[in-house]
Amino acid sequence: MLETAVASLRFGASMTLGVRFNLRSLERLVGAMLETTREFGGIGSEGAELLAGPGLDDDTRREMQLRRFRSQALRAMRTTSYYGNLFAQAGLDPAELSHEGIATIPLTPKEALRGDPDAFVNRTVRPSLRATTTGTTGWPTSVQFSRYEMRALVALASIAVILRRQVEADDLVQIGISSRAILGVTGVMGACANIGAAVYLAGLLDPEHTLALLTERRSIPGKRERVSVMSTYPSYLGEIVETGLRLGYGPKDFGLRRLLVGGELLTQGLRARCQRLFGPVELVSNYGMTELAPFGGNVCSQEHLHFDPSGGLVEVLDLETRRPAGHGQAGSIVATPFFPYRETTLLLRYDTEDVIRTVAGPLTCEMRNLPATSNILGKRRLSVRHDGGWTFLRDVVEALEGVEAVPLPARFGLWATSDGVGVEVLARSDAPEVGDAIHSRLEQEGVPVRELRVVTDRAALRQPIPLRGDLRDGSLAHAGGRGGSNGSSPPRPHAAVLASGGAS
Amino acid sequence: VSAAYLVVAATTVVAATLASGYFRRFQPMRPPIGVMNLRDVVIMLGAIVALPYVYLTLPLWVVAVLFSGAILGALYFVWEPVLESRARIWTACLLLLGADLVLALTRGTTDGGFLLVNNLLLVTVVVGVTNLWAQSGMKARDVAVLAVGLAVFDVIATSRLTVMTDLVTRLSGMPLLPVVTWRASGGARGLAIGLGDLLLASLFPLVLRKSFGRRAGSVALVVSVCVIATMLAVIDLRLVRTPIPAMVVLGPLMALQYGYWRARRGSERTTLEYLRAEPLPSGTSSEVAPV
């Protein structure tokens, strides 16, 4: 307990003063949280408050973030070629920046990082891991991380998971994200290893195979009988739900109690259909990206996206003027991850292209001490500007996934028309009543549909929005149709059903 | 037996019984993250060995300030769940602490009024500290280790060295005297038991109750009280004329009890398991997360 008190103080000092995490203390804190959970059944609200730090008023938060931004900007100017050149050309001195002056620093676009990732690497730090994005929206972007960052990332992920009781020691955890998403995989695996949960990296397999894994009964001492937690993308989850319902699976076939989803938009329609397949399962979503990790956001029960101000600076810039968005307006997230969370690939004012809406306080949710925006509305480059304003992916996908005739995940395209948008969507039927239902639902969500094209063949979509669920990891078991490399077949509790479903 | 015996023995019984009663009725605010573990016990043992020398070195007023701070903290912990209102808690704490300080300064530390208040203060501290430790998840194994460590320390510090005798002599004129004692008016002899001994004697029944059940806790309570009462009687009846290091007897008995219950019941229960098996009476707030 005394060591824990010291570790808590060190953690608090890093959070509030921006000094380097002491990794031993951080890991000690994780151990203490596990001991506390084991002894008392969980961490109380006081523990959560202790780790989150005190809620800051706006002025204090601005002051703290300005100090941290200046410090990170100085580090970036002195140690990276990209920001060394940028500050020299702009004639800016990071040490003199005011809060308003931050806006004078040019945004860092994705293309700059993608084009020359090494120009952002701190030359005083030894990188040990090159992580790449999955490349769903283009050529993968690579980001370097040091050993310190990776250990901190795992410890911080563990703290978050333990605090929210997302994974417990008796859980069987299946990771259903791309095996190339090394940061997400490392974070979940590391947290599971710390907690003592059994974890398995399944990757993105054919949905039938994933369903077989989810329904497989195991007899690991001290663990649940079937997979109890799965981490995945919403679109892949949609595919599993769709396939599972089609193949006749139901809640009794699964032992899932929690789904951790991120990387895409989680809709109410998906939530509802998920319950039909898995029963009363909890869906937890968050916001994170390789470029900013471990800085990210958490979604509260009121669907706000909350950011820890000690982890980085979040600016919300108007989609057209690129000036700070006003209350209730849409804008894209421009983020600067701070030290001590980020020391290798330094990014200042990184334009994530993720669109949100600002929210006016006072907040009443359980995370009200943290600044918040709306939940993610979609990527800016995939949003559509028309005479009536903007239509975002969330408006469309919430509507489509709320229509039973649209299979999950909603596959659709979106384009601008003169005074609204055109939508093409894959549906189970192109009957007129299906089109009417979709049209009506889109209008309910405020989508000004001027053209609607309903297709029943996925290949007929002209410009479908890319989905992470379409990424695939190879599976030897399905490659040749003759079982795995050792000649054995994958577990098939529903072999007859699977045979009729086939492998795609 | 003397009146001193009756007062000190009764105070011991009251302290241990109140601690056990409080354990089932109130929950002091424990640190939100962390569990009292073996590392804490080792650190505690190190502090117990070092602190007497520190107290012998520091000016008395500094020692008094340190004691005041520590005792005030313990009083706050014990009253917080009982009185709830911050004003009432501080009033109770400051009244008790203030009475001890004022009586010591105005009437001296041998005065019956001072000893009564000081004993009352120590009983309150014992109730608070034992409950804070036990309700912070301390294991019976760790208390047994602490007890055996203290037994070894007691033998050396009391029998081989003069450090404990020197300490008691030095602190005897100070308020917040860390011993429960009584001296009959006009009597030359008094009886005393150290705060540390009383703490361990009151703590062990709590952790045994948590770890192994009601019977284990009750037996530990009876054993602790009887052992102390017997040792006091031996001194009171002048069968022994030197101070007896109480932990030399209590320590091994605690280790034996731990070994017995461990062999009989298997692994220790966590607080969560204890509260599931023996829920607190209704109206008692429980911080254990629902499952």
Side-chain angles (χ1 to χ4, degrees), chain A residues 1-3 28 36 39-40, chain B residues 34 39-40 210 271-272 288:
Chain A
M1 188 173 278
L2 294 170
E3 279 181 301
R28 174 67 218 140
T36 310
E39 183 68 32
F40 300 104
Chain B
R39 284 188 294 269
D40 295 311
K210 185 208 89 173
T271 302
L272 180 68
V288 172

Side-chain angles (χ1 to χ4, degrees), chain A residues 304-326:
Chain A
H304 302 131
L305 185 58
H306 294 263
F307 296 92
D308 176 1
S310 71
L313 175 69
V314 169
E315 301 169 75
V316 182
L317 298 191
D318 185 276
L319 298 174
E320 288 158 69
T321 65
R322 309 309 280 150
R323 296 178 59 77

Side-chain angles (χ1 to χ4, degrees), chain A residues 271 285 298-306 365-367 372:
Chain A
R271 281 178 185 273
S285 70
N298 288 300
V299 180
C300 72
S301 57
Q302 294 182 13
E303 290 286 308
H304 302 131
L305 185 58
H306 294 263
C365 60
E366 71 277 14
M367 298 185 195

Side-chain angles (χ1 to χ4, degrees), chain A residues 108-188:
Chain A
T108 302
K110 268 179 183 286
E111 292 73 22
L113 180 62
R114 193 179 289 154
D116 187 6
D118 297 346
F120 294 84
V121 175
N122 181 339
R123 51 182 160 265
T124 67
V125 172
R126 184 184 298 174
S128 64
L129 175 86
R130 178 187 175 192
T132 59
T133 62
T134 48
T136 323
T137 54
W139 182 259
T141 305
S142 72
V143 184
Q144 301 276 359
F145 292 90
S146 65
R147 188 163 173 266
Y148 159 84
E149 284 173 313
M150 294 309 295
R151 276 180 68 186
L153 180 135
V154 169
L156 291 167
S158 304
I159 288 172
V161 168
I162 298 167
L163 205 53
R164 299 186 185 103
R165 299 182 72 180
Q166 289 171 347
V167 176
E168 291 174 286
D170 63 348
D171 275 318
L172 275 180
V173 182
Q174 181 164 321
I175 301 180
I177 62 177
S178 168
S179 54
R180 283 185 294 121
I182 188 73
L183 280 189
V185 170
T186 305
V188 177

